[in-house]
Amino acid sequence: MLASRTAATALQALLVAAATDAGARWYLGRGWPVQQLPAGKIVLVDEDLDAADDADVTWPRDRVHTLTVQLQCMAADTDDPEGQADALAEQALVAVEGTAAPLAGVNVIATRITRQLATDAQAHVAITTVQLQLLFGGRSNDPTLIT
């Protein structure tokens, strides 16, 4: 499994263990159908692979991974779906940034929050998205390893 997928899986476990309003409904990836809200999706957006700062050209190379992840916090059919989505985002932020090192070998930095409200007939679905940067090391000869 790619190191980025390993980091995202650990992030999912952290959010489920945090006992947020979404409970165990934290899904990894875009493809999960969400049938009960509140819930959250952990979406891997993109990943930069940079050489370590020392510019060592030996093989295998040390890499610095910068993985962009979105936590899509969804809520619906309440008096204030946007407030409920924001509350879930707050709980997620506390879970992922509330301790110095919540994920072993991975630095987590929240970088952006966006909001949207979708309306379908009488239903309102609010999505508060927290964008995270996950920073970790790796080796060019083993893309599965977080160093």
Side-chain angles (χ1 to χ4, degrees):
M1 178 182 325
L2 285 174
S4 53
R5 181 65 58 169
T6 299
T9 301
L11 183 61
Q12 179 185 26
L14 177 73
L15 289 165
V16 169
T20 66
D21 289 344
R25 294 180 305 276
W26 282 100
Y27 304 102
L28 183 55
R30 293 172 181 85
W32 287 95
V34 177
Q35 296 180 358
Q36 183 181 354
L37 297 177
K41 287 186 179 182
I42 302 159
V43 178
L44 282 66
V45 179
D46 58 23
E47 184 173 2
D48 290 328
L49 305 174
D50 295 323
D53 290 336
D54 62 8
D56 186 4
V57 293
T58 60
W59 187 89
R61 290 184 311 280
D62 289 329
R63 287 193 177 142
V64 177
H65 295 248
T66 304
L67 175 64
T68 302
V69 175
Q70 291 179 343
L71 303 180
Q72 297 175 351
C73 304
M74 299 172 280
D77 296 330
T78 66
D79 292 337
D80 183 12
E82 291 174 300
Q84 188 179 22
D86 279 353
L88 181 56
E90 178 184 344
Q91 294 164 8
L93 279 168
V94 168
V96 300
E97 287 193 317
T99 62
L103 300 176
V106 180
N107 290 335
V108 181
I109 304 164
T111 60
R112 182 179 180 93
I113 295 176
T114 58
R115 294 171 178 85
Q116 67 186 80
L117 181 67
T119 303
D120 184 10
Q122 295 297 319
H124 299 287
V125 177
I127 302 172
T128 299
T129 301
V130 178
Q131 183 168 296
L132 305 173
Q133 297 291 317
L134 277 60
L135 307 171
F136 55 92
R139 302 279 288 170
S140 63
N141 65 334
D142 189 354
T144 66
L145 186 64
I146 295 176
T147 59

